[in-house]
Amino acid sequence: MTKYSKFKDYMRNSFMQYALILISFIFILFIISMVVNLKLFAIKTNKSSNEKVSAFFENQYDIYYKNIGELSQNNIIKEFVLNKKNSTDAFTLLYNFSNSQGIKSNFVLLDKDESIKATNLYKANCGSFTNSIEVKNIINKLKKEKDKILTTTNRAQYNNGQRSNYIFAKCIADNDVIIGYLMLQLRETDLNNIILNTDADIISITDNFDNVIYSNNNNIVNSIGKYNPDMNSSNIAYINGKAYYTTINDNIKSNIKVITMTSIAMQQKFLIFGITIIFIIGFFVIILVIFLANKMTNKNINAINTLLEAIDKCANENLQYRIDLDTFEEFKILYDKFNNMMTKVEYLINKNKEISERKRIMEIKHLEGQLNPHFVFNVLETLHYEILLNPQEASKMLVSFAKLMRYSINYGSTEVELKIDIEYVSNYLMLQKIRYNKRLEYYINIDEKLMKCKIPKLIIQPIVENSLVHGMKDSSPLTVNITGEIVENKIELSIEDDGQGIEKKEMQKLLNILNDEYAMPEHIGLYNVNRAIKLMYGDIYGLDIYSKHSSGTKIVLKIPIVEGEDNVYNFSC
């Protein structure tokens, strides 16, 4: 596939390619239409005509073949030949049979001396019959094969519409002695009437030696009366330089072949003419496409250049730049999309700034809480006694306190693995446990599959701290449970305590603050956690509070499943 460095070149060449494809498609359709036309109006018509003529001629052949045998055995015919009795009945019998057929015939009844006894031939044609070589040959054959029905072509020149090209002949025998001959000659005029009702241009009937019995075109008959067209393939014949589609039916049981020809010269001329016209039109279309492609490409390029200019301005931090140009509807939509995108970019930049600010505030507030002198004093004082009484436990405390302080002041990535944040919360709770001793119990139960998932840094500790500050009053013991699981493709981290809970009035006030995206409270860690989650992941995430006075509080953090650098919302960590 060719690669183009410029859109203009690509558009121009694309127009050219599509124009060539269109011309090729039209050419293919034209060829297909010509093939269909040839099959429907030449081949199909030709075959249909051949079947019609073949069926008719074969039927007539069967009738003549059967009846000449019956007539030669008829007693009326025999008595007439032997004794010249029943002449009227014999003539009527032969005349009625001849005239009742689809192809009428000339009948000739001869005695054993080959003299004509009865015939419907005109007197002028009787001489031609008597002198016919074919007649003499077939009589000689009948003498040798007196039980057979013989057929042959006939070239005797009859006048007055009695011309015949095919003869059925049979001996008339009495007690196995030849007493005469009966001949039935098919008339050419009746074949002509049948041929005129078919759609083929040329129809010929030959015997199995290609001797022509009938043809409506003498150009395919050679000097010795045989079928001999100029054939260059099995189905195409040429007559006087014109092409004809040819069907030859040589399956007739009488050894007769029916040949039908349909001219395809017109289709050939139309094919050549059509191809010439398509090439001429295609040439002018290509020239026109080249001209129009340049004009259209230039107009589109102007619109694209406007968009590129806008992108350059935005790349130079001019985020207030907007496109305003009257152009095509599609480019207007593109410009609107660009303008909307820049508006969203501005919004996201501002939103990101807010996220950063919220995160900074959370970490600063948390750091302030961790560096609370009272908290540090209590830890150091506890360490003093533990060093004297239990140096090993004091060492663990000191390590945990150091980790806690190091993690608090680390302003690296805003997201960490859940495992790291849980370690931080564990250190924090261990130090608080030392401070409150039996008044504080805590349990952490997190699904191990979640430990590699990313969560916002310092997102759990403010909730735990909130439980200690507000849940532990009047020297009452407090139990904190931290759990985590995947629910509906979300991570749900639950911090639950059995402390004092929240009164209904205070609960409503707290919920109002959490739902106000423009609130800027100074002393509510829950708001900062909730707002940071929503800004980072969307409004469907955040925290839910479940609390009842004197019955404890449960806070559920809902965050997306995140692994590595990308959010994979349908991924099971």
Side-chain angles (χ1 to χ4, degrees):
M1 183 177 179
T2 304
K3 292 186 177 179
Y4 299 96
S5 59
K6 293 185 178 181
F7 177 73
K8 183 176 181 180
D9 295 336
Y10 168 75
M11 288 291 292
R12 184 174 57 251
N13 284 278
S14 295
F15 274 113
M16 287 290 297
Q17 291 175 4
Y18 292 137
L20 290 174
I21 291 172
L22 178 61
I23 294 170
S24 300
F25 181 71
I26 293 173
F27 178 77
I28 292 171
L29 284 181
F30 174 74
I31 296 299
I32 292 174
S33 68
M34 290 300 300
V35 171
V36 171
N37 176 71
L38 180 65
K39 286 184 176 293
L40 290 179
F41 298 103
I43 299 176
K44 186 176 180 181
T45 300
N46 184 278
K47 290 182 177 180
S48 176
S49 298
N50 192 288
E51 291 172 1
K52 180 179 178 180
V53 174
S54 297
F56 175 78
F57 192 84
E58 186 170 16
N59 175 261
Q60 289 294 292
Y61 185 96
D62 290 342
I63 291 174
Y64 274 93
Y65 195 90
K66 176 183 177 183
N67 280 273
I68 195 171
E70 294 176 354
L71 289 170
S72 66
Q73 300 298 322
N74 191 284
N75 290 329
I76 295 174
I77 301 296
K78 287 182 178 182
E79 289 180 3
F80 174 70
V81 173
L82 285 172
N83 306 315
K84 297 185 180 180
K85 295 180 179 180
N86 304 320
S87 61
T88 302
D89 293 338
F91 186 86
T92 302
L93 182 64
L94 293 172
Y95 187 84
N96 288 339
F97 170 75
S98 172
N99 289 337
S100 65
Q101 303 309 312
I103 303 176
K104 296 178 177 59
S105 61
N106 305 320
F107 63 85
V108 180
L109 184 60
L110 306 170
D111 60 14
K112 64 179 181 178
D113 297 323
E114 302 177 17
S115 298
I116 298 175
K117 293 297 182 180
T119 183
N120 62 347
L121 284 172
Y122 294 119
K123 187 176 182 178
N125 293 328
C126 289
S128 297
F129 173 82
T130 303
N131 296 323
S132 171
I133 296 174
E134 289 84 0
V135 171
K136 292 178 180 180
N137 288 336
I138 202 168
I139 289 175
N140 291 331
K141 288 182 180 179
L142 286 173
K143 291 176 180 179
K144 298 176 182 178
E145 302 176 22
K146 58 184 177 181
D147 294 329
K148 290 187 177 181
I149 299 172
L150 301 181
T151 60
T152 185
T153 56
N154 180 28
R155 294 184 178 85
Q157 299 298 315
Y158 298 153
N159 298 316
N160 301 315
Q162 290 189 326
R163 179 180 173 84
S164 172
N165 289 336
Y166 200 64
I167 301 174
F168 288 84
K170 179 71 171 66
C171 286
I172 301 173
D174 185 37
N175 295 323
D176 205 29
V177 176
I178 297 175
I179 60 175
Y181 306 94
L182 177 62
M183 296 187 186
L184 301 175
Q185 300 174 320
L186 303 184
R187 289 183 182 176
E188 187 178 275
T189 54
D190 292 319
L191 269 174
N192 269 327
N193 293 334
I194 298 301
I195 300 308
L196 289 174
N197 293 323
T198 60
D199 295 323
D201 296 317
I202 299 175
I203 297 179
S204 298
I205 302 173
T206 71
D207 62 14
N208 57 339
F209 299 108
D210 288 334
N211 294 308
V212 176
I213 298 170
Y214 169 85
S215 177
N216 63 350
N217 190 315
N218 291 327
N219 290 318
I220 63 172
V221 183
N222 63 14
S223 59
I224 60 174
K226 289 185 177 290
Y227 171 78
N228 187 28
D230 181 14
M231 299 283 290
N232 71 341
S233 70
S234 58
N235 293 107
I236 305 298
Y238 286 88
I239 301 175
N240 296 330
K242 294 183 179 180
Y244 289 83
Y245 181 84
T246 305
T247 301
I248 301 176
N249 184 357
D250 54 3
N251 295 321
I252 301 176
K253 60 186 178 183
S254 56
N255 293 324
I256 299 297
K257 292 192 289 187
V258 175
I259 304 163
T260 52
M261 298 181 176
T262 302
S263 175
I264 58 174
M266 184 60 69
Q267 283 87 344
Q268 289 179 325
K269 290 180 180 179
F270 188 70
L271 176 64
I272 296 171
F273 176 78
I275 292 174
T276 303
I277 290 298
I278 289 175
F279 275 109
I280 292 173
I281 293 175
F283 175 75
F284 286 105
V285 166
I286 290 174
I287 293 176
L288 183 62
V289 164
I290 293 174
F291 173 74
L292 293 178
N294 287 327
K295 292 198 67 175
M296 294 176 65
T297 302
N298 289 335
K299 188 170 181 62
N300 291 332
I301 285 296
N302 291 335
I304 294 174
N305 288 337
T306 301
L307 183 60
L308 291 175
E309 182 182 353
I311 293 173
D312 288 338
K313 290 184 178 295
C314 294
N316 294 326
E317 298 184 358
N318 185 3
L319 299 181
Q320 287 76 33
Y321 183 82
R322 298 294 183 269
I323 304 174
D324 184 16
L325 182 65
D326 185 18
T327 183
F328 298 116
E329 186 67 27
E330 291 80 359
F331 282 105
K332 286 183 180 179
I333 294 173
L334 186 61
Y335 293 165
D336 289 340
K337 294 286 186 182
F338 174 83
N339 292 337
N340 292 336
M341 181 187 69
M342 294 312 302
T343 301
K344 289 181 181 179
V345 167
E346 280 192 280
Y347 168 76
L348 291 174
I349 290 175
N350 294 333
K351 185 176 180 180
N352 188 60
K353 290 180 179 178
E354 184 179 358
I355 291 175
S356 300
E357 182 62 19
R358 292 286 180 183
K359 187 66 180 176
R360 187 184 67 82
I361 293 173
M362 284 178 61
E363 293 193 9
I364 291 175
K365 292 290 183 181
H366 178 74
L367 184 60
E368 289 175 352
Q370 290 299 314
L371 293 178
N372 186 293
H374 182 67
F375 170 72
V376 175
F377 175 76
N378 288 336
V379 171
L380 293 176
E381 186 175 5
T382 304
L383 274 173
H384 171 72
Y385 289 107
E386 288 294 329
I387 290 172
L388 295 175
L389 301 175
N390 191 349
Q392 187 175 359
E393 187 68 24
S395 176
K396 291 181 180 180
M397 285 180 59
L398 191 59
V399 171
S400 297
F401 184 67
K403 289 181 179 180
L404 190 69
M405 300 304 294
R406 185 183 301 111
Y407 185 77
S408 299
I409 63 176
N410 180 12
Y411 288 92
S413 174
T414 59
E415 288 184 316
V416 296
E417 289 184 358
L418 177 59
K419 178 181 179 181
I420 296 174
D421 215 59
I422 288 297
E423 288 178 358
Y424 166 74
V425 172
S426 297
N427 290 329
Y428 174 78
L429 284 171
M430 189 191 76
L431 293 174
Q432 294 292 0
K433 171 68 177 175
I434 295 172
R435 176 182 175 187
Y436 293 109
N437 201 356
K438 294 182 179 181
R439 291 181 58 198
L440 175 64
E441 295 292 338
Y442 66 90
Y443 303 95
I444 299 176
N445 184 18
I446 304 292
D447 191 335
E448 189 63 30
K449 293 186 295 184
L450 298 179
M451 288 303 187
K452 291 292 184 180
C453 294
K454 298 284 188 175
I455 67 168
K457 182 181 175 184
L458 299 172
I459 205 72
I460 301 176
Q461 189 275 335
I463 310 300
V464 174
E465 183 179 13
N466 190 76
S467 295
L468 298 181
V469 173
H470 299 286
M472 189 178 290
K473 293 183 178 180
D474 302 327
S475 301
S476 300
L478 181 72
T479 301
V480 177
N481 285 298
I482 302 174
T483 60
E485 59 182 348
I486 296 176
V487 179
E488 296 180 353
N489 287 325
K490 298 184 185 71
I491 296 177
E492 290 194 0
L493 297 174
S494 176
I495 298 92
E496 185 175 7
D497 65 66
D498 58 357
Q500 298 297 316
I502 305 174
E503 294 184 356
K504 186 175 182 179
K505 183 177 180 180
E506 291 296 322
M507 182 69 171
Q508 188 60 48
K509 181 179 178 182
L510 178 59
L511 291 176
N512 291 338
I513 293 175
L514 290 178
N515 293 328
D516 183 2
E517 80 177 270
Y518 298 105
M520 293 292 291
E522 295 182 1
H523 304 291
I524 299 182
L526 294 180
Y527 178 84
N528 287 337
V529 170
N530 183 61
R531 183 63 183 154
I533 292 175
K534 288 185 178 297
L535 288 173
M536 292 177 71
Y537 304 121
D539 290 337
I540 63 172
Y541 303 100
L543 61 82
D544 294 330
I545 302 176
Y546 307 93
S547 182
K548 189 175 181 181
H549 186 57
S550 301
S551 298
T553 300
K554 180 179 180 181
I555 297 176
V556 178
L557 299 178
K558 295 181 180 180
I559 58 178
I561 300 173
V562 179
E563 186 181 56
E565 298 298 327
D566 301 318
N567 291 3
V568 187
Y569 293 100
N570 291 318
F571 175 81
S572 179
C573 295

